[in-house]
Amino acid sequence: MTHDNGARLLSADEVVEAFRRELERQRKPQHTVRAYVGDVRSFRAHFEGEGGSLFPGGVRSDDVRGYLSALKAKPATLHRRRAGLVSFFRWAVSAKHCSESPVEGLDAVRLAPLRPTQRRALGAKEKKRFLATVKEHGTLRDQAVCELLLATAIREDELVHVRLEDVELGEHSGSVRVQGQGSRKRTIPLHRSVRRALSSWLAARPVLGPFLFPGRYGGALATSSIRRLVDKYERRSGVAGITPHVLRHTTLTELARRKGHDIALVAAYAGHAKPATTALYLQPTQQDMEAAADSLMED
């Protein structure tokens, strides 16, 4: 497993075991140790079952929110579960297994279940406006990052670990190899516009490290840098609510619903372990509901 800051790599199981040892070192009561470790394992199972990867460094606030909402438990139980995750992620940040806690600021009692219509996907005009803004104002690197996010539905924690050797570009075809959850790998074809953006970036890219988008010292770029990059062009474009995950969701929604591709193909494209996860992209968005309501007034 990997994370943003280059600390010694541990598998997810090793990280959880290290957390357990830390609780014991702090002389926490055994029932607390069992409860907190159980909370972490329960969350990890949910996270990976939903297609998440690179635990714990790849966990985002929406992942925790979705987990707590899915529990449908009493407030006291939600508080207990949240307390276990707060303890774990505070330790994980201090131990440099992730860069920031995704739990801070989430109030378990106020979490409402996430409805399918709350899963944000950009409309065609919003997508076009966002990309036009990146092309007009963005550096070659930023253009390549945003084109790749939208063309492949790659997760940001997968994107930052793409190496030069993982990219193949030709005049009429191209692909990128992606290391997903666990040992699963997938190869995603690249269409012409993203091949063009990557070729321009590679021609200007500094000779620094093995990664397609290197950080300052040649290591993997931090996922927080990808989020800040997308935030920058979200503000410039005036299209609210754009995140790397929204770009991923936009592409998968387009493949599954607007283009009507087979769900197994979309699951392979997304790197989902379970097609049931991909089925979420067949659910109607809020925009779909509004369009349906408007259609009732049409002759």
Side-chain angles (χ1 to χ4, degrees):
M1 293 293 171
T2 56
H3 42 78
D4 295 345
N5 45 42
R8 188 173 76 84
L9 305 182
L10 296 177
S11 70
D13 287 335
E14 289 174 326
V15 171
V16 176
E17 179 60 20
F19 174 60
R20 183 188 63 77
R21 290 196 300 269
E22 174 61 20
L23 293 176
E24 292 178 341
R25 187 192 67 79
Q26 294 176 10
R27 299 183 181 277
K28 297 287 186 183
Q30 278 302 306
H31 67 85
T32 299
V33 174
R34 287 193 298 270
Y36 280 12
V37 171
D39 292 339
V40 173
R41 287 174 174 161
S42 173
F43 168 72
R44 179 190 163 199
H46 173 88
F47 172 68
E48 294 181 348
E50 289 290 312
S53 62
L54 301 179
F55 179 88
V59 176
R60 302 289 171 256
S61 294
D62 283 349
D63 299 318
V64 179
R65 183 186 300 276
Y67 166 70
L68 294 174
S69 296
L71 290 176
K72 298 179 180 178
K74 294 180 180 179
T77 301
L78 286 175
H79 272 303
R80 219 298 316 291
R81 292 292 182 95
R82 179 183 177 280
L85 295 178
V86 166
S87 178
F88 170 73
F89 280 105
R90 283 179 177 170
W91 166 81
V93 170
S94 67
K96 302 189 184 304
H97 295 304
C98 55
S99 58
E100 58 189 2
S101 171
V103 189
E104 301 296 340
L106 292 182
D107 186 337
V109 173
R110 296 180 182 178
L111 292 175
L114 291 173
R115 299 188 299 273
T117 52
Q118 291 176 306
R119 294 176 177 271
R120 170 99 163 110
L122 300 182
K125 291 182 179 179
E126 292 176 316
K127 176 181 171 180
K128 184 177 180 180
R129 184 174 177 179
F130 175 74
L131 281 178
T133 301
V134 177
K135 290 177 180 178
E136 180 179 357
H137 300 286
T139 64
L140 291 176
R141 186 203 68 169
D142 293 358
Q143 292 178 44
V145 165
C146 292
E147 286 275 7
L148 195 58
L149 285 170
L150 267 168
T152 64
I154 191 173
R155 302 177 180 94
E156 70 257 44
D157 48 9
E158 296 171 337
L159 174 66
V160 297
H161 291 99
V162 172
R163 295 172 176 260
L164 291 171
E165 64 195 43
D166 296 325
V167 179
E168 294 185 6
L169 297 177
E171 183 177 354
H172 302 293
S173 65
S175 64
V176 59
R177 289 184 296 275
V178 178
Q179 175 70 57
Q181 177 185 337
S183 60
R184 290 199 306 275
K185 297 181 180 180
R186 65 190 188 278
T187 299
I188 306 174
L190 302 174
H191 61 65
R192 182 170 56 187
S193 65
V194 72
R195 294 201 307 270
R196 187 183 301 120
L198 285 173
S199 294
S200 297
W201 162 240
L202 289 172
R205 177 188 175 278
V207 181
L208 185 67
F211 295 101
L212 177 61
F213 301 109
R216 181 175 300 177
Y217 302 108
L221 193 66
T223 55
S224 57
S225 296
I226 301 297
R227 294 195 295 276
R228 285 194 297 269
L229 184 158
V230 172
D231 286 346
K232 175 181 176 180
Y233 298 107
E234 176 209 31
R235 292 191 298 272
R236 277 184 174 266
S237 71
V239 181
I242 302 178
T243 66
H245 184 73
V246 165
L247 297 181
R248 170 177 166 83
H249 184 64
T250 295
T251 300
L252 296 179
T253 298
E254 184 170 351
L255 288 173
R257 301 187 64 249
R258 298 169 193 161
K259 302 298 185 183
H261 288 294
D262 182 87
I263 194 169
L265 183 150
V266 180
Y269 203 95
H272 288 156
K274 301 176 181 178
T277 303
T278 315
L280 295 172
Y281 293 96
L282 295 172
Q283 298 295 324
T285 65
Q286 186 62 40
Q287 297 99 309
D288 295 326
M289 300 288 283
E290 292 169 358
D294 291 341
S295 72
L296 294 174
M297 303 301 296
E298 297 175 355
D299 293 331

